[in-house]
Amino acid sequence: MPAVSILIKPASSACNLQCKYCFYRDVANHREKSYEGMLSLEMMETVIASAMEYAEGSCSFAFQGGEPTLAGLDFYQRVVKLEERYRRPGVEIHNAIQTNGICVDKAWAEFFAKHHFLVGLSLDGPAELHDRNRTFPDGKGSWSRVMRSVQILEKFHVDYNILCVVTGKNARSIQKIYQFFKKQRFQWLQFIPCLEPLDQQRGLEPYHLSAEEYGDFLIQIFDLWFQDLKKGHYVSVRHIDNWVSMLMGNPPEACNMSGRCSIQFVIEGDGGVYPCDFYVLDEWRLGTVGKQPLEEMERSEVARRFVEQSHRVPQRCKECPVCPICRNGCRRDREVLEGGEIDLNYYCQAYFSFFTQRKRELYQAVQLILNRQRNL
Ligand code: SF4
Ligand code: SF4
Ligand code: SF4
């Protein structure tokens, strides 16, 4: 039995924001039923019981959306009680939540701190960048409200990290964003390239991120991070941490950097289980919690087909010197050929230019981090 990690969407695709680049709204709109309803406590109990039965060593629950706080604080209070009820000796339970921060108040922050929830907060830098895309349904920006949540989380000593979406504009403004994050003393950062709608040609959306922009972004964020590292100031940037760790001989912890898909157990509001947050689509439904054991879903024909599609290595990658670390990126960014075959990553040029231009510095960073770890 493995360590189990479950992603739960307790509020399905419902959200109190209407971000322009919201990939989940698009994914949900590609299903027969875009809103699957709020996850019931009965279903949540079944999720916890099934996960605990399957897990060995550790069992992680990551709540996300839509906006997962819309399920209400009561829901989570019941969740932690259920986790206690089903806890098995030798299995550690971890909870995390990815939120837009709009609902976060004193009561939420106290709860997160008390139950050691790791909070991921979505924030795209200073107001003028964040408010371009992260808006309320009336079009107003959400930056001021999110910054209020930052203060509340700080006040209650909640562990949190920042998730910033990389659009074309954000990529071009990375100096400004990084300086802003530094000024706020954020220590844990994640930068995720925006996703464009499924089945739509790239480049039509105003937030489009080109391969060239992403390549420049990767170099600039690395340089900013590396300058700080050399001064003895370590900031965690998830994708860079993964590359450094891979160069030390470890497997990446981020699925999108491992070169192939894995089954992640994403649970929708009706208990439906899917293999990846990016593919919560009818064709990839693995089953329903409580109807089939997770183990059976992981071994199902649909799961096998999903993983297998990511195994193809294009000829360009086979011959590419940076393939051991690049691995053709996340499958969601790979181009789909006529006939459905999955090919080269859309950001190939970005990865190639980053790894070839910053190879020496990456190894220097590995050395600095190893020295740092030795001195801790
Ligand atoms: S907060 Fe997240 S789920 Fe809500 S609209 Fe924005 S990107 Fe989508
Ligand atoms: S699409 Fe990307 S994130 Fe999803 S399972 Fe595949 S590699 Fe992982
Ligand atoms: S840089 Fe391009 S060719 Fe090389 S491994 Fe990455 S995606 Fe493949």
Side-chain angles (χ1 to χ4, degrees):
M1 283 189 296
V4 166
S5 173
I6 312 265
L7 261 127
I8 303 157
K9 295 180 176 290
S12 185
S13 55
C15 192
N16 42 9
L17 288 187
Q18 228 171 69
C19 304
K20 302 206 170 71
Y21 49 49
C22 180
F23 84 89
Y24 199 66
R25 188 171 56 235
D26 170 61
V27 167
N29 286 340
H30 276 78
R31 291 195 301 261
E32 210 175 294
K33 220 171 139 199
S34 62
Y35 175 64
E36 303 282 6
M38 292 280 174
L39 190 75
S40 67
L41 269 166
E42 293 69 37
M43 191 60 92
M44 189 63 217
E45 181 167 357
T46 313
V47 172
I48 293 170
S50 314
M52 289 304 292
E53 192 182 303
Y54 189 29
E56 190 167 274
S58 88
C59 188
S60 307
F61 299 99
F63 298 89
Q64 51 160 260
E67 173 48 40
T69 56
L70 294 184
L73 188 49
D74 285 358
F75 174 85
Y76 292 91
Q77 278 160 342
R78 296 288 298 274
V79 164
V80 291
K81 285 195 180 128
L82 288 168
E83 289 176 350
E84 276 314 309
R85 189 187 307 161
Y86 287 93
R87 180 188 287 278
R88 283 205 352 258
V91 179
E92 272 185 31
I93 298 179
H94 303 277
N95 286 297
I97 187 165
Q98 181 63 44
T99 176
N100 59 27
I102 302 307
C103 293
V104 172
D105 61 7
K106 179 174 172 286
W108 277 102
E110 274 176 344
F111 172 83
F112 292 147
K114 182 172 173 197
H115 297 286
H116 310 289
F117 269 57
L118 174 63
V119 176
L121 187 67
S122 301
L123 176 68
D124 287 0
E128 69 272 20
L129 292 167
H130 179 98
D131 284 346
R132 284 174 82 93
N133 293 300
R134 300 197 67 82
T135 48
F136 287 99
D138 65 3
K140 289 197 183 118
S142 60
W143 186 84
S144 310
R145 181 61 187 89
V146 180
M147 290 309 289
R148 186 138 58 84
S149 296
V150 168
Q151 287 172 1
I152 300 170
L153 294 174
E154 282 284 341
K155 189 169 169 199
F156 288 90
H157 308 290
V158 175
D159 285 335
Y160 69 97
N161 57 51
I162 299 293
L163 189 148
C164 174
V165 176
V166 186
T167 60
K169 173 75 179 168
N170 288 352
R172 296 192 300 276
S173 313
I174 188 56
Q175 301 256 2
K176 205 184 252 186
I177 294 174
Y178 188 79
Q179 296 311 339
F180 172 78
F181 287 164
K182 253 178 86 174
K183 206 168 148 199
Q184 301 296 324
R185 299 178 191 273
F186 296 150
Q187 284 291 315
W188 304 90
L189 309 176
Q190 275 191 71
F191 294 94
I192 312 274
C194 61
L195 291 171
E196 290 183 47
L198 288 159
D199 311 326
Q200 181 183 297
Q201 188 199 331
R202 282 189 191 251
L204 301 176
E205 298 296 331
Y207 52 80
H208 170 67
L209 171 69
S210 70
E212 201 182 346
E213 284 165 331
Y214 191 47
D216 290 346
F217 161 84
L218 290 175
I219 289 175
Q220 284 191 57
I221 184 68
F222 177 82
D223 288 351
L224 291 161
W225 173 87
F226 191 45
Q227 273 166 28
D228 279 341
L229 183 72
K230 284 193 284 187
K231 288 185 209 147
H233 177 60
Y234 169 76
V235 177
S236 167
V237 176
R238 190 176 180 201
H239 69 270
I240 302 178
D241 288 351
N242 267 272
W243 285 330
V244 166
S245 174
M246 286 163 83
L247 291 175
M248 290 176 183
N250 306 311
E253 57 76 31
C255 177
N256 60 357
M257 300 176 84
S258 64
R260 50 179 57 185
C261 295
S262 54
I263 300 299
Q264 299 181 40
F265 301 121
V266 183
I267 299 180
E268 249 292 348
D270 64 340
V273 182
Y274 301 82
C276 166
D277 196 19
F278 301 152
Y279 291 94
V280 185
L281 297 166
D282 297 329
E283 65 174 303
W284 296 118
R285 186 166 173 133
L286 304 176
T288 306
V289 172
K291 290 199 178 149
Q292 299 95 356
L294 294 176
E295 201 171 352
E296 192 182 310
M297 290 190 230
E298 195 170 29
R299 291 194 188 139
S300 65
E301 175 56 23
V302 181
R304 192 196 57 73
R305 219 166 10 94
F306 180 77
V307 172
E308 202 179 86
Q309 281 197 356
S310 65
H311 284 190
R312 180 178 180 270
V313 182
Q315 195 57 34
R316 280 264 297 277
C317 299
K318 281 185 191 155
E319 293 161 1
C320 175
V322 305
C323 194
I325 191 157
C326 170
R327 304 178 180 188
N328 201 17
C330 174
R331 166 242 175 98
R332 178 65 156 84
D333 290 323
R334 293 179 190 169
E335 304 285 17
V336 181
L337 302 175
E338 251 177 66
E341 202 170 337
I342 293 166
D343 200 47
L344 202 63
N345 199 288
Y346 174 77
Y347 296 115
C348 166
Q349 178 200 329
Y351 292 127
F352 189 79
S353 66
F354 171 74
F355 288 123
T356 47
Q357 290 182 49
R358 289 297 180 272
K359 183 178 168 190
R360 191 166 50 99
E361 290 80 0
L362 262 171
Y363 279 104
Q364 287 171 355
V366 169
Q367 208 46 57
L368 281 171
I369 288 177
L370 285 173
N371 294 344
R372 190 175 169 268
Q373 286 169 352
R374 273 184 214 116
N375 296 332
L376 279 181

